[in-house]
Amino acid sequence: MMKLTEVSVAVAFDGEGRFLMTSRPEGKVYAGYWKFPGGKIESGETPEEALHREMREELGAEISDCKEVKTSVFTYPHATVHLHFIQCRIKPETIKALEGQEFKFVTMEELPEPILPATVPELEDVTACRL
C-alpha cells in the first residue's frame, strides 16, 4: 500500500457565496486540472496551520473563519491522499497567482473543467454549507 499523504484544502468563499478554485500549474501531476487550493501538511502542522501556510505560498492570501467540514481518502496511480476539507473566508482582492496558476470564484453551476479526480465526489458536500 502507498504511503498516505496528508493534504489540507480550502473551500474558500468570497462575500457572494462563490468558492475559489485554482488550476494545477505546469510541470505538476495533473497540470491544468482544477482543484480547491491547498497542499501537503508538513510534519508537526495541524491541517488548519498547513492551509494558512499553503494559501500564503500559493496565492499570497490570508484566510479566516476556518472550519474542517469533511475528510476523505482518494487513491491516484501515483499517491494516496487523505484530504482535509476546510471551509473558510478569503478576500478576493488579496489573491495573486504566485505559482503561475489560474484561479476563479465559481458556483456549482459554472464549474471549470477538468476537475481533479479526488475533488469531484466531494464538491456537493463541501460547498453545501456556504459561509
Side-chain angles (χ1 to χ4, degrees):
M1 185 175 146
M2 280 188 253
K3 181 176 145 293
L4 203 59
T5 302
E6 297 288 333
V7 177
S8 260
V9 292
V11 184
F13 291 93
D14 66 5
E16 297 168 37
R18 298 174 305 169
F19 52 91
L20 179 64
M21 296 202 79
T22 59
S23 64
R24 298 269 306 159
E26 286 304 313
K28 292 204 175 182
V29 178
Y30 286 97
Y33 277 71
W34 289 85
K35 65 178 188 84
F36 293 118
K40 288 183 189 156
I41 300 172
E42 303 293 340
S43 178
E45 281 183 322
T46 66
E48 188 176 322
E49 289 167 344
L51 194 58
H52 279 275
R53 177 185 50 75
E54 285 285 344
M55 295 298 278
R56 282 191 298 270
E57 290 174 5
E58 281 183 33
L59 298 167
E62 294 297 328
I63 52 174
S64 61
D65 301 326
C66 297
K67 177 179 82 173
E68 188 168 309
V69 292
K70 186 168 189 176
T71 63
S72 70
V73 174
F74 190 89
T75 301
Y76 286 101
H78 68 285
T80 298
V81 292
H82 180 208
L83 300 168
H84 297 260
F85 292 93
I86 299 174
Q87 282 189 346
C88 57
R89 292 185 196 279
I90 191 167
K91 290 189 171 131
E93 63 275 9
T94 65
I95 300 171
K96 300 171 206 69
L98 300 176
E99 296 182 343
Q101 74 277 47
E102 290 182 71
F103 65 89
K104 58 175 115 177
F105 283 90
V106 300
T107 64
M108 286 298 289
E109 294 72 44
E110 53 194 25
L111 292 171
E113 295 279 334
I115 291 177
L116 209 54
T119 303
V120 172
E122 308 303 337
L123 271 165
E124 292 275 355
D125 277 359
V126 300
T127 62
C129 325
R130 299 211 168 132
L131 291 176

